Coordinates of all heavy atoms in Angstrom, one line a residue:
K9 N 15.7 -62.5 24.2 CA 14.5 -62.4 25.0 C 14.6 -62.9 26.3 O 14.1 -62.5 27.4 CB 13.4 -63.2 24.1 CG 11.9 -62.8 24.7 CD 10.9 -63.4 23.7 CE 10.8 -64.8 23.6 NZ 10.4 -65.6 24.8
D10 N 15.4 -64.1 26.5 CA 15.5 -64.8 27.9 C 16.6 -64.3 28.5 O 17.0 -64.7 29.7 CB 15.7 -66.3 27.4 CG 14.4 -66.9 27.0 OD1 13.3 -66.4 27.0 OD2 14.6 -68.1 26.4
K11 N 17.3 -63.2 28.0 CA 18.3 -62.4 28.6 C 19.6 -63.4 28.9 O 20.3 -63.2 29.8 CB 17.8 -61.9 29.9 CG 16.9 -60.8 29.7 CD 16.6 -59.9 30.8 CE 15.7 -58.7 30.6 NZ 15.6 -57.7 31.5
H12 N 19.8 -64.4 28.0 CA 21.0 -65.3 28.1 C 22.1 -64.5 27.4 O 23.3 -64.8 27.6 CB 20.8 -66.6 27.4 CG 19.7 -67.4 28.1 ND1 19.0 -68.4 27.5 CD2 19.5 -67.5 29.4 CE1 18.2 -68.8 28.4 NE2 18.6 -68.5 29.6
T13 N 21.8 -63.4 26.6 CA 22.8 -62.6 26.0 C 22.3 -61.2 26.0 O 21.1 -61.0 26.3 CB 23.2 -63.1 24.6 OG1 24.2 -62.4 24.0 CG2 21.9 -63.2 23.8
A14 N 23.2 -60.4 25.5 CA 22.7 -58.9 25.5 C 22.8 -58.3 24.2 O 23.6 -58.8 23.3 CB 23.6 -58.1 26.4
I15 N 22.1 -57.3 23.8 CA 22.3 -56.5 22.7 C 23.0 -55.2 23.0 O 22.8 -54.5 24.1 CB 20.8 -56.2 22.0 CG1 20.9 -55.4 20.7 CG2 20.0 -55.3 23.0 CD1 19.7 -55.5 19.9
A16 N 23.9 -54.8 22.1 CA 24.8 -53.6 22.4 C 24.3 -52.4 21.4 O 24.0 -52.8 20.2 CB 26.3 -54.0 22.3
V17 N 24.2 -51.2 22.1 CA 23.9 -50.2 21.2 C 25.2 -49.2 21.3 O 25.7 -48.8 22.3 CB 22.8 -49.3 21.5 CG1 22.6 -48.1 20.5 CG2 21.4 -50.2 21.3
I18 N 26.0 -49.0 20.1 CA 27.2 -48.3 20.1 C 26.9 -46.9 19.6 O 26.5 -46.7 18.4 CB 28.3 -49.0 19.1 CG1 28.5 -50.3 19.8 CG2 29.4 -48.1 18.9 CD1 28.0 -51.5 19.4
G19 N 27.1 -45.9 20.3 CA 26.8 -44.5 20.0 C 25.5 -44.1 20.6 O 24.4 -44.5 20.2
L20 N 25.6 -43.4 21.8 CA 24.3 -43.1 22.5 C 23.9 -41.6 22.4 O 24.0 -40.9 23.4 CB 24.5 -43.5 24.0 CG 24.9 -44.9 24.1 CD1 25.3 -45.2 25.6 CD2 23.6 -45.9 23.8
G21 N 23.6 -41.2 21.2 CA 23.2 -39.8 21.0 C 21.7 -39.7 20.8 O 21.0 -40.4 21.4
Y22 N 21.3 -38.8 19.9 CA 19.9 -38.5 19.6 C 19.1 -39.9 19.2 O 18.0 -40.0 19.6 CB 19.6 -37.5 18.6 CG 20.0 -36.1 19.1 CD1 21.1 -35.4 18.8 CD2 19.1 -35.4 19.7 CE1 21.4 -34.2 19.1 CE2 19.2 -34.2 20.2 CZ 20.4 -33.5 19.9 OH 20.7 -32.2 20.3
V23 N 19.8 -40.6 18.4 CA 19.1 -41.9 18.0 C 19.5 -43.0 19.0 O 18.7 -43.8 19.2 CB 19.7 -42.2 16.5 CG1 19.3 -43.7 16.1 CG2 19.2 -41.2 15.6
G24 N 20.8 -43.2 19.3 CA 21.2 -44.4 20.0 C 20.7 -44.5 21.5 O 20.1 -45.6 21.8
L25 N 20.5 -43.4 22.1 CA 20.1 -43.6 23.6 C 18.6 -44.0 23.6 O 18.3 -44.9 24.4 CB 20.4 -42.3 24.4 CG 19.9 -42.3 25.8 CD1 20.6 -43.5 26.5 CD2 20.1 -41.0 26.5
P26 N 17.6 -43.3 22.9 CA 16.3 -43.7 23.0 C 16.1 -45.2 22.5 O 15.2 -45.9 23.1 CB 15.5 -42.6 22.2 CG 16.5 -41.8 21.5 CD 17.8 -41.9 22.1
L27 N 16.9 -45.5 21.4 CA 16.7 -46.9 20.9 C 17.3 -47.9 22.0 O 16.6 -48.9 22.3 CB 17.7 -47.0 19.7 CG 17.6 -48.2 18.8 CD1 16.4 -48.4 18.2 CD2 18.8 -48.4 17.9
A28 N 18.4 -47.5 22.7 CA 18.9 -48.5 23.8 C 17.9 -48.6 24.9 O 17.7 -49.8 25.3 CB 20.2 -48.0 24.2
L29 N 17.3 -47.5 25.3 CA 16.5 -47.6 26.4 C 15.2 -48.3 26.1 O 14.5 -49.1 26.8 CB 16.1 -46.1 26.9 CG 17.1 -45.4 27.6 CD1 16.7 -44.0 28.0 CD2 17.7 -46.1 28.7
A30 N 14.6 -48.3 24.7 CA 13.4 -49.0 24.3 C 13.8 -50.5 24.3 O 13.0 -51.2 24.8 CB 13.1 -48.5 22.9
F31 N 15.0 -50.9 23.8 CA 15.4 -52.3 23.9 C 15.4 -52.6 25.3 O 15.1 -53.8 25.8 CB 16.8 -52.6 23.3 CG 16.8 -52.6 21.8 CD1 17.8 -51.9 21.1 CD2 16.0 -53.3 21.0 CE1 18.0 -51.9 19.8 CE2 15.9 -53.3 19.7 CZ 16.9 -52.6 19.0
A32 N 15.9 -51.8 26.2 CA 16.3 -52.2 27.6 C 14.9 -52.4 28.5 O 15.0 -52.9 29.6 CB 17.1 -51.2 28.3
K33 N 13.7 -52.0 27.9 CA 12.6 -52.3 28.5 C 12.2 -53.8 28.5 O 11.5 -54.3 29.4 CB 11.4 -51.5 27.9 CG 11.6 -50.1 27.9 CD 11.2 -49.4 29.2 CE 11.2 -47.8 28.9 NZ 11.5 -47.2 30.3
K34 N 12.8 -54.5 27.5 CA 12.5 -55.8 27.3 C 13.7 -56.7 27.4 O 13.7 -58.0 27.6 CB 11.9 -56.1 25.9 CG 10.5 -55.5 25.8 CD 9.4 -56.2 26.4 CE 8.0 -55.5 26.1 NZ 7.0 -56.1 26.9
L35 N 14.8 -56.2 27.0 CA 16.2 -57.0 26.8 C 17.3 -56.5 27.6 O 17.1 -55.4 28.2 CB 16.5 -56.9 25.3 CG 15.5 -57.4 24.2 CD1 16.0 -57.0 22.8 CD2 15.0 -58.8 24.3
K36 N 18.3 -57.3 27.8 CA 19.4 -56.9 28.4 C 20.3 -56.1 27.4 O 20.6 -56.6 26.3 CB 20.3 -58.1 29.0 CG 21.3 -58.0 29.8 CD 21.8 -59.4 30.2 CE 23.1 -59.4 31.0 NZ 23.4 -60.8 31.4
V37 N 20.7 -55.0 27.9 CA 21.4 -54.0 26.9 C 22.6 -53.4 27.4 O 22.8 -53.1 28.6 CB 20.5 -52.8 26.6 CG1 21.2 -51.8 25.7 CG2 19.1 -53.1 25.9
I38 N 23.6 -53.5 26.6 CA 24.9 -52.7 26.8 C 24.9 -51.5 26.1 O 24.9 -51.5 24.8 CB 26.1 -53.5 26.5 CG1 26.1 -55.0 27.0 CG2 27.5 -52.9 26.9 CD1 26.3 -55.1 28.5
G39 N 25.0 -50.3 26.7 CA 24.9 -49.0 25.9 C 26.4 -48.6 26.0 O 26.9 -48.3 27.1
F40 N 27.1 -48.5 24.8 CA 28.4 -48.1 24.8 C 28.5 -46.8 24.0 O 28.1 -46.5 23.0 CB 29.2 -49.3 23.9 CG 30.7 -48.9 23.6 CD1 31.6 -49.1 24.7 CD2 31.0 -48.3 22.4 CE1 32.9 -48.8 24.5 CE2 32.4 -47.9 22.2 CZ 33.4 -48.2 23.4
D41 N 29.4 -45.9 24.6 CA 29.7 -44.7 23.9 C 31.2 -44.2 24.2 O 31.7 -44.7 25.3 CB 28.9 -43.5 24.4 CG 28.8 -42.3 23.4 OD1 29.9 -41.6 23.3 OD2 27.8 -42.1 22.9
I42 N 32.0 -43.7 23.3 CA 33.4 -43.5 23.5 C 33.5 -42.3 24.5 O 34.6 -42.0 25.0 CB 34.2 -43.1 22.3 CG1 33.4 -42.1 21.4 CG2 34.7 -44.3 21.6 CD1 34.3 -41.6 20.3
N43 N 32.4 -41.5 24.6 CA 32.5 -40.3 25.5 C 32.3 -40.5 26.8 O 31.1 -40.7 27.3 CB 31.6 -39.3 24.9 CG 31.7 -38.0 25.6 OD1 32.0 -37.9 26.8 ND2 31.6 -36.8 24.9
A44 N 33.3 -40.6 27.7 CA 33.1 -41.2 29.1 C 32.2 -40.3 30.0 O 31.5 -40.6 30.7 CB 34.5 -41.4 29.8
E45 N 32.3 -39.0 29.6 CA 31.5 -37.9 30.4 C 30.0 -38.1 30.0 O 29.2 -38.0 31.0 CB 32.0 -36.5 29.8 CG 32.3 -35.5 30.9 CD 32.9 -34.3 30.2 OE1 32.2 -33.5 30.0 OE2 34.2 -34.2 30.2
R46 N 29.7 -38.3 28.8 CA 28.3 -38.6 28.5 C 27.9 -39.9 29.2 O 26.7 -39.9 29.7 CB 28.2 -38.8 26.9 CG 28.2 -37.4 26.2 CD 28.2 -37.7 24.7 NE 26.9 -38.2 24.1 CZ 25.9 -37.3 23.9 NH1 26.1 -36.0 23.9 NH2 24.8 -37.8 23.5
V47 N 28.7 -41.0 29.1 CA 28.3 -42.2 29.8 C 28.0 -42.1 31.4 O 27.1 -42.5 31.8 CB 29.4 -43.2 29.7 CG1 29.4 -44.5 30.5 CG2 29.4 -43.6 28.2
E48 N 28.8 -41.2 31.9 CA 28.7 -41.0 33.4 C 27.4 -40.3 33.7 O 26.5 -40.6 34.6 CB 29.8 -40.0 34.1 CG 29.9 -40.0 35.4 CD 29.9 -41.3 36.1 OE1 30.5 -42.2 35.7 OE2 29.2 -41.4 37.3
K49 N 26.9 -39.4 32.8 CA 25.6 -38.7 32.9 C 24.5 -39.8 32.6 O 23.6 -39.8 33.5 CB 25.4 -37.6 31.8 CG 26.2 -36.4 32.1 CD 25.8 -35.1 31.2 CE 26.6 -34.0 31.5 NZ 26.6 -32.9 30.7
M50 N 24.6 -40.7 31.8 CA 23.5 -41.7 31.5 C 23.4 -42.6 32.7 O 22.5 -42.9 33.0 CB 23.8 -42.4 30.2 CG 23.6 -41.4 29.0 SD 24.0 -42.3 27.3 CE 25.6 -41.5 27.0
R51 N 24.6 -42.9 33.3 CA 24.6 -43.7 34.5 C 23.7 -43.0 35.6 O 23.2 -43.7 36.4 CB 26.0 -44.0 35.1 CG 26.7 -45.0 34.2 CD 27.9 -45.4 35.0 NE 28.8 -46.3 34.1 CZ 30.1 -46.2 34.0 NH1 30.8 -45.2 34.5 NH2 30.6 -47.1 33.2
N52 N 23.7 -41.7 35.5 CA 23.0 -40.9 36.5 C 21.5 -40.6 36.0 O 20.8 -39.6 36.6 CB 23.8 -39.7 36.9 CG 24.9 -40.0 37.7 OD1 24.7 -40.8 38.9 ND2 26.0 -39.8 37.5
H53 N 21.2 -41.4 35.0 CA 19.8 -41.1 34.3 C 19.6 -39.6 33.7 O 18.6 -39.0 33.9 CB 18.6 -41.3 35.3 CG 18.7 -42.8 35.7 ND1 17.7 -43.5 36.3 CD2 19.4 -43.8 35.4 CE1 17.9 -44.8 36.5 NE2 19.1 -45.0 35.9
I54 N 20.8 -39.1 33.3 CA 20.7 -37.8 32.7 C 20.9 -38.1 31.1 O 22.0 -38.5 30.8 CB 21.6 -36.8 33.2 CG1 21.4 -36.5 34.7 CG2 21.8 -35.6 32.4 CD1 22.4 -35.8 35.4
D55 N 20.0 -37.6 30.3 CA 20.4 -37.6 28.8 C 21.3 -36.4 28.4 O 20.6 -35.3 28.4 CB 19.0 -37.6 28.1 CG 19.2 -37.5 26.5 OD1 20.3 -37.6 26.0 OD2 18.1 -37.2 25.9
P56 N 22.5 -36.6 27.9 CA 23.4 -35.6 27.6 C 22.6 -34.7 26.4 O 23.1 -33.6 26.2 CB 24.6 -36.3 27.2 CG 24.4 -37.6 27.8 CD 23.1 -38.0 27.7
S57 N 22.0 -35.3 25.6 CA 21.3 -34.6 24.5 C 20.0 -33.8 24.9 O 19.4 -33.1 24.0 CB 20.9 -35.5 23.4 OG 21.9 -36.3 23.0
N58 N 19.7 -34.0 26.2 CA 18.4 -33.1 26.7 C 17.2 -33.4 26.1 O 16.4 -32.5 25.9 CB 18.7 -31.7 26.8 CG 19.9 -31.3 27.7 OD1 19.9 -31.8 28.9 ND2 20.8 -30.4 27.2
E59 N 17.0 -34.7 25.6 CA 15.8 -35.0 24.9 C 14.8 -35.9 25.9 O 13.7 -35.8 25.8 CB 16.1 -35.8 23.7 CG 16.9 -35.1 22.6 CD 15.9 -34.1 21.8 OE1 14.7 -34.4 21.7 OE2 16.2 -33.0 21.6
L60 N 15.6 -36.7 26.7 CA 14.7 -37.6 27.4 C 14.5 -37.2 28.9 O 15.7 -36.7 29.4 CB 15.4 -39.0 27.4 CG 15.5 -39.5 26.0 CD1 16.2 -40.9 26.0 CD2 14.1 -39.7 25.3
S61 N 13.4 -37.6 29.5 CA 13.4 -37.2 31.0 C 13.9 -38.3 31.8 O 14.4 -39.5 31.2 CB 11.8 -37.0 31.4 OG 11.3 -38.4 31.2
K62 N 14.4 -38.1 33.2 CA 14.9 -39.1 34.0 C 14.0 -40.5 34.0 O 14.5 -41.5 34.0 CB 15.0 -38.5 35.5 CG 16.3 -37.9 35.8 CD 16.4 -37.5 37.1 CE 17.7 -36.9 37.5 NZ 18.9 -37.6 37.6
E63 N 12.7 -40.2 34.0 CA 11.7 -41.4 34.1 C 11.9 -42.4 33.0 O 11.6 -43.6 33.0 CB 10.3 -40.9 34.1 CG 9.9 -40.3 35.2 CD 10.5 -38.9 35.5 OE1 10.8 -38.3 34.5 OE2 10.7 -38.5 36.7
E64 N 12.5 -41.8 31.8 CA 12.6 -42.8 30.7 C 13.7 -43.8 30.9 O 13.7 -44.9 30.1 CB 13.0 -42.0 29.4 CG 12.3 -40.8 29.1 CD 11.3 -40.8 27.9 OE1 11.1 -42.0 27.4 OE2 10.8 -39.9 27.6
F65 N 14.6 -43.6 32.0 CA 15.6 -44.5 32.2 C 15.0 -45.7 33.3 O 15.7 -46.7 33.5 CB 16.8 -43.9 32.9 CG 17.6 -43.0 32.0 CD1 17.1 -41.7 31.6 CD2 18.8 -43.5 31.5 CE1 17.9 -41.0 30.8 CE2 19.6 -42.8 30.7 CZ 19.0 -41.4 30.4
N66 N 13.8 -45.4 33.7 CA 13.3 -46.4 34.8 C 12.9 -47.7 34.1 O 12.6 -47.9 32.9 CB 12.0 -45.8 35.3 CG 12.1 -44.6 36.3 OD1 13.3 -44.3 36.7 ND2 11.3 -43.8 36.6
D67 N 13.1 -48.7 34.8 CA 12.7 -50.1 34.5 C 13.5 -50.5 33.2 O 12.9 -51.3 32.4 CB 11.2 -50.3 34.2 CG 10.4 -49.9 35.5 OD1 10.8 -50.3 36.7 OD2 9.5 -49.1 35.4
C68 N 14.8 -50.0 33.2 CA 15.5 -50.5 32.1 C 16.7 -51.4 32.5 O 17.2 -51.1 33.5 CB 16.1 -49.3 31.3 SG 14.8 -48.4 30.4
D69 N 16.9 -52.5 31.8 CA 18.0 -53.4 32.1 C 19.2 -53.0 31.2 O 19.3 -53.5 30.1 CB 17.6 -54.8 31.7 CG 18.6 -55.9 32.2 OD1 19.7 -55.5 32.6 OD2 18.4 -57.0 32.2
I70 N 19.9 -52.0 31.5 CA 20.9 -51.4 30.7 C 22.2 -51.1 31.5 O 22.1 -50.6 32.6 CB 20.6 -50.3 30.0 CG1 21.6 -49.8 28.9 CG2 20.1 -49.0 31.0 CD1 20.9 -48.8 27.9
Q71 N 23.4 -51.5 30.9 CA 24.7 -51.0 31.5 C 25.4 -50.1 30.5 O 25.5 -50.4 29.4 CB 25.5 -52.4 31.7 CG 26.9 -52.2 32.2 CD 27.9 -53.3 32.1 OE1 27.5 -54.4 31.6 NE2 29.1 -53.0 32.1
F72 N 25.7 -49.0 31.2 CA 26.2 -47.9 30.3 C 27.8 -48.1 30.5 O 28.4 -48.2 31.6 CB 25.9 -46.5 30.6 CG 24.4 -46.2 30.3 CD1 23.5 -46.2 31.5 CD2 24.0 -46.0 29.1 CE1 22.2 -45.8 31.1 CE2 22.6 -45.7 28.8 CZ 21.6 -45.6 29.8
S73 N 28.5 -48.0 29.4 CA 30.0 -48.2 29.5 C 30.7 -47.4 28.3 O 30.2 -47.3 27.1 CB 30.4 -49.7 29.5 OG 31.8 -49.8 29.7
S74 N 32.0 -47.2 28.7 CA 32.9 -46.5 27.6 C 34.0 -47.5 27.4 O 35.1 -47.3 27.0 CB 33.4 -45.2 27.8 OG 33.9 -45.0 29.1
D75 N 33.9 -48.7 28.1 CA 35.0 -49.7 28.1 C 34.6 -50.8 27.1 O 33.5 -51.5 27.2 CB 35.1 -50.4 29.4 CG 36.1 -51.4 29.5 OD1 36.7 -51.7 28.4 OD2 36.4 -51.9 30.6
I76 N 35.4 -50.9 26.0 CA 35.1 -52.0 25.0 C 34.8 -53.4 25.6 O 34.1 -54.2 25.0 CB 36.2 -52.0 23.9 CG1 36.2 -50.7 23.2 CG2 36.1 -53.2 22.9 CD1 37.4 -50.6 22.1
Q77 N 35.5 -53.8 26.7 CA 35.4 -55.0 27.2 C 34.0 -55.3 27.6 O 33.5 -56.5 27.6 CB 36.2 -55.2 28.7 CG 37.8 -55.1 28.3 CD 38.2 -56.0 27.3 OE1 37.9 -57.2 27.4 NE2 39.1 -55.6 26.5
A78 N 33.1 -54.4 28.0 CA 31.8 -54.5 28.3 C 30.9 -55.1 27.2 O 29.9 -55.8 27.3 CB 31.1 -53.1 28.8
L79 N 31.4 -54.9 25.9 CA 30.7 -55.4 24.8 C 30.7 -56.9 24.6 O 30.0 -57.5 23.9 CB 31.3 -54.7 23.5 CG 31.0 -53.2 23.4 CD1 31.7 -52.6 22.1 CD2 29.5 -52.9 23.2
K80 N 31.7 -57.4 25.3 CA 31.9 -58.9 25.2 C 30.7 -59.7 25.6 O 30.5 -60.7 25.1 CB 33.1 -59.4 25.9 CG 34.5 -59.0 25.3 CD 35.6 -59.7 25.8 CE 36.9 -59.3 25.3 NZ 37.1 -59.2 23.9
A81 N 29.8 -59.1 26.4 CA 28.7 -59.7 26.9 C 27.5 -59.7 25.9 O 26.4 -60.5 26.0 CB 28.1 -59.1 28.3
S82 N 27.7 -59.0 24.7 CA 26.7 -59.0 23.8 C 27.0 -60.0 22.6 O 28.0 -60.3 22.3 CB 26.7 -57.6 23.1 OG 26.7 -56.6 24.1
T83 N 25.8 -60.2 21.8 CA 25.9 -61.1 20.6 C 25.2 -60.3 19.5 O 25.2 -60.8 18.3 CB 25.3 -62.4 20.8 OG1 23.9 -62.2 21.3 CG2 26.1 -63.2 21.8
F84 N 24.6 -59.1 19.8 CA 23.9 -58.5 18.6 C 24.4 -56.9 18.8 O 24.2 -56.4 20.0 CB 22.5 -58.7 18.6 CG 21.8 -58.3 17.5 CD1 21.3 -59.3 16.6 CD2 21.5 -57.0 17.2 CE1 20.8 -58.9 15.5 CE2 20.8 -56.7 15.9 CZ 20.4 -57.6 15.1
Y85 N 24.9 -56.3 17.9 CA 25.4 -54.9 17.9 C 24.6 -54.0 16.8 O 24.5 -54.3 15.8 CB 26.9 -55.0 17.7 CG 27.7 -56.0 18.4 CD1 27.8 -57.2 18.0 CD2 28.4 -55.5 19.5 CE1 28.5 -58.2 18.7 CE2 29.1 -56.3 20.2 CZ 29.2 -57.7 19.8 OH 29.9 -58.5 20.7
V86 N 24.2 -52.8 17.5 CA 23.5 -51.9 16.6 C 24.5 -50.6 16.7 O 24.7 -50.1 18.0 CB 22.1 -51.5 17.1 CG1 21.5 -50.4 16.2 CG2 21.4 -52.8 17.2
I87 N 24.9 -50.1 15.6 CA 25.8 -49.0 15.5 C 25.0 -47.7 15.3 O 24.2 -47.6 14.2 CB 26.9 -49.1 14.5 CG1 27.7 -50.3 14.9 CG2 27.8 -47.7 14.6 CD1 28.9 -50.5 14.1
A88 N 25.0 -46.7 16.0 CA 24.2 -45.4 15.9 C 25.1 -44.3 16.1 O 24.9 -43.3 17.0 CB 22.9 -45.3 16.6
V89 N 26.3 -44.1 15.4 CA 27.2 -43.1 15.5 C 27.0 -41.9 14.5 O 26.3 -42.3 13.5 CB 28.6 -43.6 15.5 CG1 29.0 -44.5 16.6 CG2 29.0 -44.3 14.2
P90 N 27.5 -40.6 14.6 CA 27.1 -39.7 13.8 C 27.9 -39.9 12.3 O 29.0 -40.6 12.2 CB 27.8 -38.5 14.4 CG 28.5 -38.9 15.6 CD 28.3 -40.3 15.8
T91 N 27.1 -39.5 11.4 CA 27.5 -39.5 9.9 C 27.3 -38.1 9.4 O 26.6 -38.0 8.4 CB 26.8 -40.6 9.2 OG1 25.4 -40.4 9.4 CG2 27.3 -42.0 9.5
P92 N 28.1 -37.1 9.9 CA 27.8 -35.7 9.5 C 28.3 -35.4 8.0 O 29.1 -36.2 7.6 CB 28.7 -34.8 10.4 CG 29.8 -35.9 10.9 CD 29.1 -37.1 10.9
I93 N 27.4 -34.6 7.4 CA 27.7 -34.5 5.9 C 28.4 -33.1 5.6 O 28.3 -32.2 6.5 CB 26.4 -34.5 5.1 CG1 25.3 -33.5 5.7 CG2 25.8 -35.9 4.9 CD1 24.2 -33.3 4.8
D94 N 29.3 -33.0 4.6 CA 29.9 -31.7 4.3 C 29.0 -30.9 3.2 O 27.8 -31.3 3.0 CB 31.2 -32.0 3.7 CG 31.3 -32.8 2.5 OD1 30.1 -32.9 1.7 OD2 32.3 -33.4 2.1
D95 N 29.7 -29.9 2.8 CA 28.9 -29.1 1.9 C 28.4 -29.7 0.6 O 27.4 -29.1 0.0 CB 29.8 -27.8 1.5 CG 30.1 -26.9 2.7 OD1 29.3 -27.0 3.7 OD2 31.0 -26.0 2.7
S96 N 29.1 -30.8 0.2 CA 28.6 -31.6 -0.9 C 27.8 -32.6 -0.6 O 27.5 -33.6 -1.4 CB 29.9 -32.1 -1.6 OG 30.9 -31.2 -1.7
N97 N 27.3 -32.7 0.7 CA 26.3 -33.7 1.2 C 27.0 -35.1 1.2 O 26.5 -36.1 1.2 CB 25.1 -33.8 0.2 CG 24.1 -32.9 0.7 OD1 24.0 -32.4 1.8 ND2 23.1 -32.7 -0.3
L98 N 28.4 -35.1 1.4 CA 29.1 -36.3 1.5 C 29.2 -36.7 3.0 O 29.7 -35.8 3.8 CB 30.4 -36.2 0.9 CG 30.5 -36.3 -0.7 CD1 31.8 -36.1 -1.2 CD2 29.8 -37.7 -1.2

Side-chain angles (χ1 to χ4, degrees):
K9 190 170 69 61
D10 294 344
K11 298 194 173 188
H12 292 148
T13 182
I15 183 166
V17 178
I18 290 99
L20 301 170
Y22 284 100
V23 170
L25 180 59
L27 185 69
L29 293 179
F31 280 139
K33 302 278 185 207
K34 299 277 181 195
L35 310 173
K36 192 171 167 182
V37 177
I38 311 291
F40 175 84
D41 200 289
I42 45 165
N43 187 326
E45 234 171 82
R46 288 177 66 91
V47 166
E48 192 51 36
K49 284 188 175 168
M50 290 179 254
R51 281 186 183 140
N52 290 306
H53 294 189
I54 296 165
D55 172 10
S57 307
N58 292 320
E59 293 287 320
L60 306 175
S61 67
K62 273 185 178 288
E63 288 70 37
E64 314 251 12
F65 291 75
N66 290 347
D67 304 317
C68 286
D69 188 351
I70 187 162
Q71 179 197 344
F72 293 108
S73 185
S74 53
D75 180 356
I76 292 179
Q77 296 304 318
L79 292 172
K80 290 196 185 300
S82 313
T83 53
F84 200 100
Y85 305 82
V86 179
I87 299 176
V89 297
T91 46
I93 50 169
D94 63 16
D95 292 343
S96 315
N97 276 344
L98 287 174

